[in-house]
Amino acid sequence: MALAEITGDISSIGYGLAAIGPGIGVGIVFAAYIQATARQPESAGLTRPYLFMGFALSEALALFGLVLAFVFSNPA
Amino acid sequence: MSLQLAPLADSSVPWPPSVEEFFPPGLVGNWVTKFSIMVWIAVAVIIVFFLVTQRNPKIVPNKAQWLGESVYSFVRNGIAKEVIGHEGPRFAPYLTSLFVFICFINIFAVIPGFQISPSSHIAFPAVLALISFGLYWYQGIKKHGLGHYIKTSVLLPAPWWVQPILLPIEFAQILIIRPLTLAVRLFANLFAGHLILLVFTLGGFMLWNAGNIALAAVGVISWGMAIVMTLFEAGVALLQAYVFVLLTASYVQTSLADEH
């Protein structure tokens, strides 16, 4: 007897898991930028390119998860 | 999944979308897609924009010239000089063209009537990433020579016992990971944005047609969210253009950098 049944695609769950790490990473990147700007307001322009670079590099991992979720999904 | 989406098939919403959607109606030949038309429009608009704004430059610029020059100086000073350094202005024309081009093809994602960006088709970001890949390899080889370039970018100052792990990673970095992430980042951002807009818009239709007054109210909220996400998507489109150009500049900078 089946108590519970789940239908659907496990790759969606995989993408959800894959988004955890980059989510934390992007949070850390922005937290560090806010902290740096609060301590040294005149450095805001200097560190902004690094903010976006760090953001983009961490975000790329989540996007890989999204793409791979589609690659390994079974079209019903 | 197909069962849950059945209300859509009954309604007047064109569902499911198919490959035929990519081909504009009334045009013969399968070599013209909506994406190629969007790219032509973008290129034409960019050419006209820079021709008009820079045709007759004056010392005291008028509004149009000021607009064109501020776009150029944003990339030249904000990205090329900031990231690459004193050799930056050499790359500013290419980086500016790249920035404006990606901005335009991305913004198609939120323009009514188009509502999909050529960047959400992997071929377009892939070609742009290949050009960046060629650019930083060419600049590195031109400056250092092939062997020396690979040595400077792969061999990092680290203890010798870390090198077996580090060398393959760094080698894959310059050969595969950089162009792949460039292409996939741009593609996936715009593709995900398109999906989010679809989820809220079509989700609104499904809730509206659900035959329940409470769910119909949620459907209206869902359409409101679609408008909010459209604005968010416009921000993402411009941000991703900036990020793509920033990373290209940063890769060129590491190619030009001297030994650590």
Side-chain angles (χ1 to χ4, degrees), chain A residues 30-68:
Chain A
F30 277 96
Y33 177 72
I34 292 168
Q35 206 167 57
T37 308
R39 288 176 188 228
Q40 196 88 25
E42 58 269 34
S43 79
L46 192 72
T47 47
R48 195 172 295 123
Y50 302 109
L51 165 74
F52 286 115
M53 215 179 281
F55 159 73
L57 292 177
S58 351
E59 193 203 19
L61 300 171
L63 295 172
F64 269 129
L66 176 72
V67 170
L68 290 178

mmCIF file of all heavy atoms in Angstrom, chain A residues 30-68:
data_model
loop_
_atom_site.group_PDB
_atom_site.id
_atom_site.type_symbol
_atom_site.label_atom_id
_atom_site.label_comp_id
_atom_site.label_asym_id
_atom_site.label_seq_id
_atom_site.Cartn_x
_atom_site.Cartn_y
_atom_site.Cartn_z
ATOM 1 N N PHE A 30 26.735 40.596 -1.313
ATOM 2 C CA PHE A 30 26.111 41.905 -1.107
ATOM 3 C C PHE A 30 26.315 42.381 0.319
ATOM 4 O O PHE A 30 26.509 43.581 0.554
ATOM 5 C CB PHE A 30 24.622 41.843 -1.463
ATOM 6 C CG PHE A 30 24.378 42.002 -2.925
ATOM 7 C CD1 PHE A 30 24.232 40.908 -3.744
ATOM 8 C CD2 PHE A 30 24.338 43.264 -3.487
ATOM 9 C CE1 PHE A 30 24.040 41.055 -5.097
ATOM 10 C CE2 PHE A 30 24.141 43.418 -4.839
ATOM 11 C CZ PHE A 30 23.998 42.317 -5.650
ATOM 12 N N ALA A 31 26.308 41.443 1.288
ATOM 13 C CA ALA A 31 26.548 41.844 2.675
ATOM 14 C C ALA A 31 27.938 42.458 2.803
ATOM 15 O O ALA A 31 28.114 43.494 3.455
ATOM 16 C CB ALA A 31 26.404 40.637 3.598
ATOM 17 N N ALA A 32 28.912 41.834 2.145
ATOM 18 C CA ALA A 32 30.276 42.351 2.235
ATOM 19 C C ALA A 32 30.370 43.725 1.591
ATOM 20 O O ALA A 32 31.065 44.611 2.104
ATOM 21 C CB ALA A 32 31.248 41.379 1.558
ATOM 22 N N TYR A 33 29.642 43.921 0.488
ATOM 23 C CA TYR A 33 29.696 45.232 -0.174
ATOM 24 C C TYR A 33 29.056 46.298 0.708
ATOM 25 O O TYR A 33 29.580 47.402 0.854
ATOM 26 C CB TYR A 33 28.984 45.162 -1.525
ATOM 27 C CG TYR A 33 28.942 46.490 -2.232
ATOM 28 C CD1 TYR A 33 30.094 47.022 -2.791
ATOM 29 C CD2 TYR A 33 27.773 47.224 -2.309
ATOM 30 C CE1 TYR A 33 30.065 48.244 -3.420
ATOM 31 C CE2 TYR A 33 27.733 48.445 -2.939
ATOM 32 C CZ TYR A 33 28.891 48.945 -3.502
ATOM 33 O OH TYR A 33 28.867 50.155 -4.124
ATOM 34 N N ILE A 34 27.925 45.976 1.323
ATOM 35 C CA ILE A 34 27.262 46.959 2.187
ATOM 36 C C ILE A 34 28.158 47.300 3.367
ATOM 37 O O ILE A 34 28.312 48.467 3.739
ATOM 38 C CB ILE A 34 25.903 46.402 2.665
ATOM 39 C CG1 ILE A 34 24.947 46.292 1.491
ATOM 40 C CG2 ILE A 34 25.298 47.299 3.724
ATOM 41 C CD1 ILE A 34 23.716 45.494 1.792
ATOM 42 N N GLN A 35 28.785 46.258 3.936
ATOM 43 C CA GLN A 35 29.657 46.506 5.080
ATOM 44 C C GLN A 35 30.850 47.378 4.681
ATOM 45 O O GLN A 35 31.192 48.335 5.381
ATOM 46 C CB GLN A 35 30.144 45.168 5.621
ATOM 47 C CG GLN A 35 30.500 45.228 7.071
ATOM 48 C CD GLN A 35 30.668 43.850 7.640
ATOM 49 O OE1 GLN A 35 31.482 43.080 7.142
ATOM 50 N NE2 GLN A 35 29.885 43.519 8.644
ATOM 51 N N ALA A 36 31.445 47.064 3.534
ATOM 52 C CA ALA A 36 32.593 47.840 3.079
ATOM 53 C C ALA A 36 32.183 49.288 2.828
ATOM 54 O O ALA A 36 32.913 50.225 3.183
ATOM 55 C CB ALA A 36 33.157 47.230 1.804
ATOM 56 N N THR A 37 30.998 49.492 2.244
ATOM 57 C CA THR A 37 30.552 50.853 1.951
ATOM 58 C C THR A 37 30.209 51.608 3.236
ATOM 59 O O THR A 37 30.455 52.799 3.347
ATOM 60 C CB THR A 37 29.337 50.806 1.026
ATOM 61 O OG1 THR A 37 29.663 49.979 -0.086
ATOM 62 C CG2 THR A 37 28.980 52.175 0.512
ATOM 63 N N ALA A 38 29.655 50.881 4.222
ATOM 64 C CA ALA A 38 29.325 51.539 5.476
ATOM 65 C C ALA A 38 30.586 51.978 6.211
ATOM 66 O O ALA A 38 30.632 53.041 6.827
ATOM 67 C CB ALA A 38 28.501 50.602 6.352
ATOM 68 N N ARG A 39 31.613 51.164 6.130
ATOM 69 C CA ARG A 39 32.854 51.523 6.819
ATOM 70 C C ARG A 39 33.631 52.593 6.080
ATOM 71 O O ARG A 39 34.323 53.405 6.675
ATOM 72 C CB ARG A 39 33.746 50.287 6.958
ATOM 73 C CG ARG A 39 33.215 49.317 7.967
ATOM 74 C CD ARG A 39 34.067 48.081 7.989
ATOM 75 N NE ARG A 39 33.442 47.082 8.833
ATOM 76 C CZ ARG A 39 34.100 46.404 9.760
ATOM 77 N NH1 ARG A 39 35.386 46.596 9.924
ATOM 78 N NH2 ARG A 39 33.483 45.520 10.497
ATOM 79 N N GLN A 40 33.551 52.557 4.763
ATOM 80 C CA GLN A 40 34.396 53.436 3.941
ATOM 81 C C GLN A 40 33.543 53.940 2.780
ATOM 82 O O GLN A 40 33.655 53.425 1.671
ATOM 83 C CB GLN A 40 35.584 52.633 3.432
ATOM 84 C CG GLN A 40 36.735 53.436 2.898
ATOM 85 C CD GLN A 40 37.703 53.794 3.982
ATOM 86 O OE1 GLN A 40 37.765 53.095 4.981
ATOM 87 N NE2 GLN A 40 38.445 54.861 3.814
ATOM 88 N N PRO A 41 32.668 54.912 3.024
ATOM 89 C CA PRO A 41 31.696 55.299 1.974
ATOM 90 C C PRO A 41 32.359 55.721 0.674
ATOM 91 O O PRO A 41 31.791 55.516 -0.404
ATOM 92 C CB PRO A 41 30.950 56.471 2.609
ATOM 93 C CG PRO A 41 31.123 56.285 4.068
ATOM 94 C CD PRO A 41 32.458 55.662 4.260
ATOM 95 N N GLU A 42 33.562 56.286 0.728
ATOM 96 C CA GLU A 42 34.169 56.752 -0.523
ATOM 97 C C GLU A 42 34.691 55.597 -1.371
ATOM 98 O O GLU A 42 35.052 55.798 -2.533
ATOM 99 C CB GLU A 42 35.293 57.764 -0.239
ATOM 100 C CG GLU A 42 36.414 57.279 0.628
ATOM 101 C CD GLU A 42 36.133 57.591 2.099
ATOM 102 O OE1 GLU A 42 34.959 57.555 2.515
ATOM 103 O OE2 GLU A 42 37.078 57.851 2.826
ATOM 104 N N SER A 43 34.718 54.370 -0.831
ATOM 105 C CA SER A 43 35.179 53.222 -1.617
ATOM 106 C C SER A 43 34.039 52.587 -2.408
ATOM 107 O O SER A 43 34.248 51.579 -3.084
ATOM 108 C CB SER A 43 35.807 52.173 -0.704
ATOM 109 O OG SER A 43 34.798 51.426 -0.070
ATOM 110 N N ALA A 44 32.837 53.166 -2.345
ATOM 111 C CA ALA A 44 31.680 52.526 -2.985
ATOM 112 C C ALA A 44 31.897 52.326 -4.476
ATOM 113 O O ALA A 44 31.643 51.253 -5.020
ATOM 114 C CB ALA A 44 30.417 53.359 -2.743
ATOM 115 N N GLY A 45 32.396 53.374 -5.163
ATOM 116 C CA GLY A 45 32.600 53.254 -6.599
ATOM 117 C C GLY A 45 33.731 52.310 -6.938
ATOM 118 O O GLY A 45 33.695 51.604 -7.944
ATOM 119 N N LEU A 46 34.736 52.278 -6.061
ATOM 120 C CA LEU A 46 35.921 51.454 -6.313
ATOM 121 C C LEU A 46 35.586 49.976 -6.275
ATOM 122 O O LEU A 46 36.081 49.181 -7.080
ATOM 123 C CB LEU A 46 36.977 51.781 -5.247
ATOM 124 C CG LEU A 46 38.368 51.248 -5.471
ATOM 125 C CD1 LEU A 46 39.037 52.016 -6.583
ATOM 126 C CD2 LEU A 46 39.179 51.361 -4.194
ATOM 127 N N THR A 47 34.705 49.574 -5.338
ATOM 128 C CA THR A 47 34.435 48.153 -5.165
ATOM 129 C C THR A 47 33.220 47.682 -5.954
ATOM 130 O O THR A 47 32.942 46.502 -5.965
ATOM 131 C CB THR A 47 34.195 47.834 -3.677
ATOM 132 O OG1 THR A 47 33.285 48.783 -3.147
ATOM 133 C CG2 THR A 47 35.482 47.876 -2.901
ATOM 134 N N ARG A 48 32.508 48.604 -6.650
ATOM 135 C CA ARG A 48 31.274 48.199 -7.321
ATOM 136 C C ARG A 48 31.518 47.168 -8.423
ATOM 137 O O ARG A 48 30.765 46.192 -8.515
ATOM 138 C CB ARG A 48 30.520 49.409 -7.850
ATOM 139 C CG ARG A 48 29.089 49.065 -8.216
ATOM 140 C CD ARG A 48 28.252 50.282 -8.565
ATOM 141 N NE ARG A 48 28.061 51.179 -7.445
ATOM 142 C CZ ARG A 48 28.408 52.468 -7.457
ATOM 143 N NH1 ARG A 48 28.944 52.978 -8.519
ATOM 144 N NH2 ARG A 48 28.228 53.221 -6.399
ATOM 145 N N PRO A 49 32.570 47.329 -9.279
ATOM 146 C CA PRO A 49 32.802 46.278 -10.278
ATOM 147 C C PRO A 49 33.029 44.909 -9.654
ATOM 148 O O PRO A 49 32.536 43.907 -10.164
ATOM 149 C CB PRO A 49 34.056 46.757 -11.010
ATOM 150 C CG PRO A 49 34.068 48.214 -10.821
ATOM 151 C CD PRO A 49 33.482 48.464 -9.484
ATOM 152 N N TYR A 50 33.710 44.891 -8.493
ATOM 153 C CA TYR A 50 33.941 43.600 -7.838
ATOM 154 C C TYR A 50 32.651 43.039 -7.283
ATOM 155 O O TYR A 50 32.473 41.819 -7.241
ATOM 156 C CB TYR A 50 34.985 43.746 -6.735
ATOM 157 C CG TYR A 50 36.284 44.277 -7.259
ATOM 158 C CD1 TYR A 50 36.708 45.557 -6.972
ATOM 159 C CD2 TYR A 50 37.062 43.483 -8.091
ATOM 160 C CE1 TYR A 50 37.881 46.043 -7.488
ATOM 161 C CE2 TYR A 50 38.229 43.967 -8.611
ATOM 162 C CZ TYR A 50 38.642 45.255 -8.311
ATOM 163 O OH TYR A 50 39.793 45.733 -8.830
ATOM 164 N N LEU A 51 31.749 43.933 -6.850
ATOM 165 C CA LEU A 51 30.433 43.484 -6.380
ATOM 166 C C LEU A 51 29.727 42.709 -7.480
ATOM 167 O O LEU A 51 29.263 41.582 -7.287
ATOM 168 C CB LEU A 51 29.592 44.690 -5.964
ATOM 169 C CG LEU A 51 28.101 44.435 -5.793
ATOM 170 C CD1 LEU A 51 27.834 43.668 -4.517
ATOM 171 C CD2 LEU A 51 27.327 45.724 -5.792
ATOM 172 N N PHE A 52 29.673 43.332 -8.681
ATOM 173 C CA PHE A 52 28.929 42.678 -9.758
ATOM 174 C C PHE A 52 29.661 41.443 -10.257
ATOM 175 O O PHE A 52 29.039 40.466 -10.670
ATOM 176 C CB PHE A 52 28.677 43.669 -10.890
ATOM 177 C CG PHE A 52 27.615 44.663 -10.539
ATOM 178 C CD1 PHE A 52 27.921 45.997 -10.408
ATOM 179 C CD2 PHE A 52 26.329 44.242 -10.296
ATOM 180 C CE1 PHE A 52 26.939 46.905 -10.058
ATOM 181 C CE2 PHE A 52 25.349 45.150 -9.942
ATOM 182 C CZ PHE A 52 25.658 46.489 -9.827
ATOM 183 N N MET A 53 30.996 41.476 -10.212
ATOM 184 C CA MET A 53 31.754 40.305 -10.651
ATOM 185 C C MET A 53 31.490 39.129 -9.715
ATOM 186 O O MET A 53 31.189 38.020 -10.154
ATOM 187 C CB MET A 53 33.229 40.661 -10.682
ATOM 188 C CG MET A 53 34.001 39.996 -11.777
ATOM 189 S SD MET A 53 35.704 40.512 -11.722
ATOM 190 C CE MET A 53 35.625 42.094 -12.495
ATOM 191 N N GLY A 54 31.574 39.390 -8.406
ATOM 192 C CA GLY A 54 31.331 38.327 -7.434
ATOM 193 C C GLY A 54 29.903 37.820 -7.511
ATOM 194 O O GLY A 54 29.642 36.617 -7.460
ATOM 195 N N PHE A 55 28.976 38.756 -7.681
ATOM 196 C CA PHE A 55 27.562 38.389 -7.814
ATOM 197 C C PHE A 55 27.351 37.490 -9.027
ATOM 198 O O PHE A 55 26.711 36.439 -8.935
ATOM 199 C CB PHE A 55 26.741 39.676 -7.923
ATOM 200 C CG PHE A 55 25.390 39.494 -8.535
ATOM 201 C CD1 PHE A 55 24.376 38.876 -7.844
ATOM 202 C CD2 PHE A 55 25.144 39.949 -9.817
ATOM 203 C CE1 PHE A 55 23.136 38.722 -8.417
ATOM 204 C CE2 PHE A 55 23.906 39.792 -10.386
ATOM 205 C CZ PHE A 55 22.900 39.164 -9.689
ATOM 206 N N ALA A 56 27.969 37.891 -10.175
ATOM 207 C CA ALA A 56 27.762 37.126 -11.408
ATOM 208 C C ALA A 56 28.389 35.742 -11.295
ATOM 209 O O ALA A 56 27.815 34.758 -11.764
ATOM 210 C CB ALA A 56 28.360 37.883 -12.587
ATOM 211 N N LEU A 57 29.565 35.667 -10.651
ATOM 212 C CA LEU A 57 30.234 34.370 -10.574
ATOM 213 C C LEU A 57 29.469 33.409 -9.675
ATOM 214 O O LEU A 57 29.387 32.219 -9.968
ATOM 215 C CB LEU A 57 31.669 34.548 -10.078
ATOM 216 C CG LEU A 57 32.596 35.263 -11.058
ATOM 217 C CD1 LEU A 57 33.965 35.464 -10.448
ATOM 218 C CD2 LEU A 57 32.734 34.471 -12.344
ATOM 219 N N SER A 58 28.884 33.905 -8.573
ATOM 220 C CA SER A 58 28.113 32.981 -7.728
ATOM 221 C C SER A 58 26.787 32.629 -8.380
ATOM 222 O O SER A 58 26.324 31.498 -8.285
ATOM 223 C CB SER A 58 27.853 33.566 -6.336
ATOM 224 O OG SER A 58 28.559 34.715 -6.109
ATOM 225 N N GLU A 59 26.195 33.628 -9.050
ATOM 226 C CA GLU A 59 24.898 33.402 -9.666
ATOM 227 C C GLU A 59 24.992 32.363 -10.778
ATOM 228 O O GLU A 59 24.047 31.621 -11.017
ATOM 229 C CB GLU A 59 24.380 34.725 -10.229
ATOM 230 C CG GLU A 59 22.930 34.707 -10.610
ATOM 231 C CD GLU A 59 22.618 35.762 -11.624
ATOM 232 O OE1 GLU A 59 23.571 36.231 -12.277
ATOM 233 O OE2 GLU A 59 21.451 36.117 -11.771
ATOM 234 N N ALA A 60 26.167 32.305 -11.436
ATOM 235 C CA ALA A 60 26.339 31.376 -12.552
ATOM 236 C C ALA A 60 26.055 29.942 -12.119
ATOM 237 O O ALA A 60 25.516 29.152 -12.896
ATOM 238 C CB ALA A 60 27.749 31.486 -13.107
ATOM 239 N N LEU A 61 26.395 29.620 -10.839
ATOM 240 C CA LEU A 61 26.195 28.242 -10.372
ATOM 241 C C LEU A 61 24.710 27.900 -10.323
ATOM 242 O O LEU A 61 24.297 26.821 -10.742
ATOM 243 C CB LEU A 61 26.831 28.072 -8.997
ATOM 244 C CG LEU A 61 28.330 28.354 -8.981
ATOM 245 C CD1 LEU A 61 28.843 28.382 -7.566
ATOM 246 C CD2 LEU A 61 29.062 27.308 -9.788
ATOM 247 N N ALA A 62 23.905 28.852 -9.823
ATOM 248 C CA ALA A 62 22.455 28.611 -9.785
ATOM 249 C C ALA A 62 21.911 28.447 -11.195
ATOM 250 O O ALA A 62 21.033 27.613 -11.440
ATOM 251 C CB ALA A 62 21.756 29.762 -9.076
ATOM 252 N N LEU A 63 22.453 29.238 -12.125
ATOM 253 C CA LEU A 63 21.939 29.167 -13.485
ATOM 254 C C LEU A 63 22.345 27.863 -14.156
ATOM 255 O O LEU A 63 21.595 27.317 -14.962
ATOM 256 C CB LEU A 63 22.432 30.362 -14.284
ATOM 257 C CG LEU A 63 21.874 31.682 -13.747
ATOM 258 C CD1 LEU A 63 22.522 32.838 -14.428
ATOM 259 C CD2 LEU A 63 20.388 31.734 -13.920
ATOM 260 N N PHE A 64 23.541 27.353 -13.796
ATOM 261 C CA PHE A 64 23.898 26.021 -14.278
ATOM 262 C C PHE A 64 22.878 25.003 -13.798
ATOM 263 O O PHE A 64 22.461 24.113 -14.549
ATOM 264 C CB PHE A 64 25.286 25.615 -13.766
ATOM 265 C CG PHE A 64 26.387 25.992 -14.691
ATOM 266 C CD1 PHE A 64 27.485 26.685 -14.253
ATOM 267 C CD2 PHE A 64 26.313 25.654 -16.022
ATOM 268 C CE1 PHE A 64 28.494 27.043 -15.118
ATOM 269 C CE2 PHE A 64 27.315 25.999 -16.889
ATOM 270 C CZ PHE A 64 28.413 26.696 -16.432
ATOM 271 N N GLY A 65 22.479 25.146 -12.526
ATOM 272 C CA GLY A 65 21.461 24.253 -11.986
ATOM 273 C C GLY A 65 20.174 24.322 -12.785
ATOM 274 O O GLY A 65 19.571 23.306 -13.111
ATOM 275 N N LEU A 66 19.782 25.546 -13.138
ATOM 276 C CA LEU A 66 18.542 25.724 -13.916
ATOM 277 C C LEU A 66 18.655 25.046 -15.272
ATOM 278 O O LEU A 66 17.752 24.312 -15.699
ATOM 279 C CB LEU A 66 18.279 27.215 -14.098
ATOM 280 C CG LEU A 66 17.078 27.567 -14.969
ATOM 281 C CD1 LEU A 66 15.804 27.248 -14.245
ATOM 282 C CD2 LEU A 66 17.096 29.020 -15.363
ATOM 283 N N VAL A 67 19.805 25.261 -15.945
ATOM 284 C CA VAL A 67 19.969 24.679 -17.283
ATOM 285 C C VAL A 67 20.000 23.163 -17.193
ATOM 286 O O VAL A 67 19.352 22.468 -17.978
ATOM 287 C CB VAL A 67 21.248 25.234 -17.930
ATOM 288 C CG1 VAL A 67 21.562 24.473 -19.196
ATOM 289 C CG2 VAL A 67 21.088 26.706 -18.223
ATOM 290 N N LEU A 68 20.743 22.634 -16.187
ATOM 291 C CA LEU A 68 20.851 21.182 -16.075
ATOM 292 C C LEU A 68 19.510 20.558 -15.684
ATOM 293 O O LEU A 68 19.223 19.430 -16.082
ATOM 294 C CB LEU A 68 21.935 20.816 -15.057
ATOM 295 C CG LEU A 68 23.347 21.127 -15.547
ATOM 296 C CD1 LEU A 68 24.361 20.801 -14.481
ATOM 297 C CD2 LEU A 68 23.658 20.353 -16.802
#
